[in-house]
Amino acid sequence: PDLDDWFKAAGITQVVLAGIQTNMCVETTARMGGNLGYDVLVALDATHTFDLTGPNGWHLTADELARASAVSLHGGRFARVVTTDQLLAAVRP
C-alpha cells in the first residue's frame, strides 16, 4: 500500500519517528517524510544505532552517528529533532 496516499486520505500531516537505526532507517524515513511535506519529528533519544567503520578505516561511534543524523535532519529542514520529554510535554493537557 501507498503510505503517503493513506496518510493524506486520513488527514495526517505530522509524523513522529523513533526506532533503529538512527542513521539509516529513521533518517531515510524522516527525509522522505520531509520531502513529501509532512511535519516530521524525530525523538532522537528514542532511536538507536551502532558503531560503524567505513572506508579508509574511518570509525564513528553510535553517538557520533546519531548526532550527525540529528544535524543533517534538523539543519537540512527535513525534520525537527526533539526529545521524548519535549514530545510528551507538547501533548499533555
Side-chain angles (χ1 to χ4, degrees), residues 12-75:
I12 295 168
T13 60
Q14 185 177 70
V15 179
V16 176
L17 300 178
I20 297 174
Q21 279 182 261
T22 312
N23 56 310
M24 294 189 186
C25 300
V26 175
E27 187 170 342
T28 299
T29 302
R31 286 175 184 272
M32 288 301 301
N35 285 339
L36 290 169
Y38 292 95
D39 178 23
V40 179
L41 292 97
V42 175
L44 191 63
D45 61 332
T47 70
H48 183 75
T49 195
F50 309 95
D51 296 358
L52 286 176
T53 301
N56 304 315
W58 295 340
H59 182 80
L60 292 177
T61 67
D63 286 342
E64 290 169 329
L65 288 164
R67 276 185 298 195
S69 289
V71 169
S72 292
L73 292 173
H74 196 88

